Amino acid sequence: MGTKGEFTQDQAVAGAMQDEGRPASGSRRRFLGGLTALPIALGAGAMATSESVLADDDGRGGGGGGGGGGGDVSGGLTASERRKKAYELRVDAAQANRDAELRNGTPNSDELRWPNGIASFSKSLPHNSLGEPDVNAFTQLVAAIRSGRQADFDALPVGVHNPLGNGRRLVNPQAGMAFDLEGADVGRLGLPPAPSFDSKEEAAEMAELYWMALTRDIPFNQWSTDPTIAAAAADLTNFGSAFKGPKEGGIVTPQTLFRDPFPGVTVGPWLSQFFLKPIPFGAQFIDQRVKAGLPGVDYMTTFPAWLAVQNGVNTPGITVESQARWISGSRTMCQFAHIDQLYQAYFNAMNILLGLGVPWDAGNPYGRQPEGGAGRPYDAAFNGPTPNILNGTQVAFGTLGGPFILALMAEVSTRALKHVWNEKWCVHRRLRPEEFGGRLEVMRQGARNYPIHGSMFSSTVLPKVLARNAALNGGSGTWLLSQGFPEGSPNHCSYGSGHATVAGACVTVLKAFFDENTILPRPYYRTSDDGLSLIVDDSIPDLTVGGELNKIGSNVAQARNMCGVHWRTDATEAQRLGEAVSISILKDNQKLFKEPGAGSRFTITKYDGSTISVG
């Protein structure tokens, strides 16, 4: 039942390694051996046009022995036969992606209903004294996106011009217009309409963000008993079906608060064990402690500061503590999600899974991870019946093994970003939560009456926000949504979240290659309230690999909301988009392997709970 084994921060990593029963570094080298570049798979632009591609011999070959022409190469194919096969695979993949079901994104009607831009993203454009975007500037932005012409982007009147160049600029709007040579094109997968500016769902999401901001400094350990957490759960319950977060019997509870409705995410602690277990990285171990922002310090809580940021004024960087801590609350989690490399959390999880010897998915022809034996601390748990087609004489490596999956994580990330950037800029252009907070503050001042749903004003959170911001600013309160970073959101549209899309893409890859149903080996950890030590907690229920992978993606996606920069639907729908992107890439990849059993290799439990086989 209880807890045991508390130890200090300097002992934490070493103690955790000892608890995990790590093998010596030499026996770990095979997990990371060298990153093998994943062969570029097949896409709409990959078809060659030269007739010589189909020729038996283009005159450059050297005869037999695999040098070219008709010589044997590998797998029973001559050089010319292999060239033909490679061409056919690329054409087939391009045609399959062309002919697949079209599910492009659908915008809500906010931009049509409010063409002055008050319900759309406009950060870094010029704004009036109320924070409303200059209509001509907003119209020019939409026109530039639709034309795609560089000259139109160059002519945009961004908010701050000065010789020092310290104004913020729009982030990469043309990325969503790029093509790719692998997986579905960005025009084929999309997001459903975001909640409308005047909807009850939008109000419910904003209330949740306010509560997230008010609870940044409450340790995760205290969520089950903290009165502010209880108030947040009760207030969000009052929004009824308009609030889409997970519930127990129709009620939001501290156990379901600030989580996603995906398999395993509401089981056990809010924080995934993949943020607490030591990370083997070759002969090194990565320390998972974070230098977080200062407790009690939030940003953009006065109207002049808020307006300056909307106009593109650059801000000083965030001040962080000198003391590194384990992730023990929202503020620490926010700083991780502030400056992480986007696939960092899942790259770390992958190395943990490899280091633990978690078995491959049952469809992998190499069976469970090879070279287990007595050198693996948890082999006894993984000796059940698994396919063992190849690992009598072969082990996975450049295909279907560690280096392959490590490289694939980066590949799906960059492709997922192109997809979500298309949704952000070319389809939805949803305003950021900080912009919505500005509209609310202008209403509080009596300067405008915006069409915001009445449930927002009956929420119990607004008085608390006013009091909190007054305490931060010497008695002058606002309804602005406090930000975890001085700059607020990035300068790109809100829907969907880039972090969440990458999370969905990477988590899907890991669920495809590892046995999701495996119980994650103990010990399980939680942190002390101050984050200075790890505690082994035997009371945590069994956690599955798949559930904890879903949870680590949810942790990062929801952390962006905790920072104040994204909405709930930005996070949940974008994770589903990332999942779809990875499935399309896995479908392309599974046709490329020589190993048997390609038709049923990847088995994935999707975010909706259904199980699919990608083959």
Side-chain angles (χ1 to χ4, degrees):
M1 254 264 349
T3 61
K4 66 175 188 285
E6 184 166 350
F7 42 103
T8 63
Q9 67 172 35
D10 290 330
Q11 298 167 321
V13 174
M17 292 177 202
Q18 186 176 14
D19 284 335
E20 296 285 349
R22 298 289 183 190
S25 61
S27 66
R28 292 195 303 270
R29 290 193 187 113
R30 63 188 184 78
F31 298 131
L32 298 176
L35 293 178
T36 305
L38 178 67
I40 292 181
L42 324 170
M47 293 183 285
T49 56
S50 171
E51 292 297 325
S52 68
V53 172
L54 297 179
D56 285 342
D57 190 346
D58 62 6
R60 293 177 294 175
D72 289 338
V73 179
S74 62
L77 296 178
T78 64
S80 58
E81 288 170 339
R82 183 173 177 87
R83 291 168 63 218
K84 289 180 183 178
K85 181 65 173 176
Y87 175 79
E88 291 165 357
L89 283 168
R90 295 178 184 228
V91 171
D92 289 346
Q95 290 175 340
N97 279 299
R98 179 196 63 191
D99 298 337
E101 177 188 3
L102 186 65
R103 294 183 294 146
N104 54 318
T106 305
N108 62 26
S109 59
D110 285 0
E111 199 167 282
L112 294 174
R113 296 168 68 195
W114 298 287
N116 59 355
I118 63 164
S120 302
F121 176 84
S122 62
K123 194 169 175 179
S124 289
L125 298 179
H127 294 76
N128 64 20
S129 62
L130 300 179
E132 299 167 337
D134 178 275
V135 175
N136 291 331
F138 181 73
T139 302
Q140 281 185 256
L141 172 63
V142 174
I145 292 167
R146 289 175 175 166
S147 77
R149 289 190 295 263
Q150 184 60 44
D152 293 342
F153 284 107
D154 291 343
L156 287 175
V158 290
V160 176
H161 293 279
N162 63 67
L164 297 178
N166 66 350
R168 299 182 72 202
R169 299 295 181 255
L170 302 175
V171 177
N172 209 191
Q174 296 184 75
M177 305 171 191
F179 288 92
D180 227 322
L181 299 182
E182 185 176 27
D185 182 63
V186 296
R188 211 197 88 207
L189 302 175
L191 295 171
S196 294
F197 182 77
D198 61 349
S199 68
K200 188 175 182 179
E201 185 176 356
E202 185 97 322
E205 291 196 10
M206 190 65 182
E208 181 182 38
L209 294 173
Y210 278 132
W211 286 114
M212 285 179 162
L214 291 169
T215 57
R216 284 185 188 129
D217 292 313
I218 301 173
F220 294 141
N221 288 339
Q222 297 179 16
W223 279 19
S224 62
T225 58
D226 184 84
T228 305
I229 291 289
D235 185 48
L236 296 176
T237 297
N238 288 336
F239 281 92
S241 61
F243 179 68
K244 305 300 185 184
K247 301 169 186 175
E248 295 177 341
I251 297 173
V252 181
T253 69
Q255 181 63 25
T256 65
L257 191 68
F258 307 153
R259 304 199 192 205
D260 281 310
F262 303 145
V265 173
T266 59
V267 178
W270 184 89
L271 189 70
S272 172
Q273 291 295 305
F274 289 118
F275 273 122
L276 299 175
K277 286 181 174 286
I279 305 166
F281 190 70
Q284 300 172 320
F285 277 84
I286 298 175
D287 187 337
Q288 295 228 50
R289 289 172 293 181
V290 173
K291 290 186 176 181
L294 298 175
V297 178
D298 294 314
Y299 302 92
M300 288 170 54
T301 58
T302 68
F303 198 77
W306 174 87
L307 183 58
V309 171
Q310 304 316 302
N311 279 323
V313 171
N314 218 345
T315 57
I318 186 172
T319 301
V320 299
E321 294 183 296
S322 59
Q323 175 71 69
R325 302 173 189 271
W326 302 94
I327 295 173
S328 56
S330 301
R331 193 173 298 278
T332 330
M333 190 68 232
C334 281
Q335 184 59 7
F336 176 91
H338 185 198
I339 59 174
D340 59 319
Q341 305 300 333
L342 289 189
Y343 65 96
Q344 179 177 338
Y346 324 109
F347 188 89
N348 291 345
M350 156 111 189
N351 283 303
I352 291 170
L353 291 169
L354 287 172
L356 291 173
V358 171
W360 300 135
D361 179 84
N364 193 319
Y366 288 98
R368 67 180 178 87
Q369 285 190 41
E371 301 179 26
R376 289 291 181 82
Y378 301 111
D379 271 358
F382 301 147
N383 280 336
T386 56
N388 206 18
I389 300 169
L390 299 178
N391 67 8
T393 59
Q394 303 173 53
V395 297
F397 195 68
T399 58
L400 303 170
F404 174 82
I405 309 170
L406 288 167
L408 187 57
M409 300 281 280
E411 283 212 48
V412 299
S413 296
T414 183
R415 286 163 175 85
L417 286 175
K418 291 175 185 174
H419 278 266
V420 77
W421 248 247
N422 182 269
E423 296 297 307
K424 283 174 177 289
W425 287 105
C426 301
V427 181
H428 302 281
R429 293 186 284 277
R430 187 184 192 182
L431 81 170
R432 290 281 180 168
E434 69 191 57
E435 296 175 299
F436 192 95
R439 307 289 178 258
L440 282 167
E441 171 57 15
V442 168
M443 290 183 71
R444 189 194 70 82
Q445 295 174 10
R448 285 282 193 275
N449 187 25
Y450 298 115
I452 293 173
H453 196 274
S455 60
M456 183 78 257
F457 306 101
S458 59
S459 168
T460 59
V461 77
L462 285 177
K464 294 182 181 297
V465 170
L466 190 68
R468 165 66 176 165
N469 288 345
L472 290 172
N473 298 302
S476 178
T478 66
W479 280 353
L480 295 169
L481 175 64
S482 69
Q483 299 289 296
F485 326 132
E487 74 277 14
S489 75
N491 279 15
H492 47 82
C493 313
S494 201
Y495 189 58
S497 163
H499 274 76
T501 313
V502 170
C506 290
V507 164
T508 299
V509 167
L510 294 178
K511 290 191 294 186
F513 280 94
F514 290 95
D515 181 0
E516 296 178 65
N517 296 317
T518 296
I519 301 299
L520 190 69
R522 293 179 184 271
Y524 297 160
Y525 304 105
R526 61 180 176 85
T527 67
S528 59
D529 286 353
D530 61 8
L532 295 180
S533 59
L534 280 182
I535 301 167
V536 176
D537 190 347
D538 294 332
S539 70
I540 296 173
D542 284 346
L543 304 170
T544 65
V545 167
E548 288 300 284
L549 287 173
N550 286 345
K551 190 183 290 181
I552 193 173
S554 174
N555 288 164
V556 175
Q558 290 296 331
R560 298 291 287 175
N561 300 358
M562 291 168 168
C563 305
V565 304
H566 272 294
W567 305 88
R568 167 166 285 278
T569 40
D570 293 353
T572 54
E573 295 300 335
Q575 287 174 84
R576 294 185 176 107
L577 174 63
E579 176 182 74
V581 171
S582 275
I583 288 172
S584 75
I585 292 170
L586 290 169
K587 285 181 177 178
D588 278 356
N589 269 274
Q590 63 88 27
K591 301 178 181 72
L592 307 181
F593 303 117
K594 182 64 173 64
E595 293 90 344
S600 60
R601 179 160 296 114
F602 307 118
T603 302
I604 302 164
T605 303
K606 296 178 64 179
Y607 286 126
D608 64 7
S610 64
T611 300
I612 64 167
S613 181
V614 181

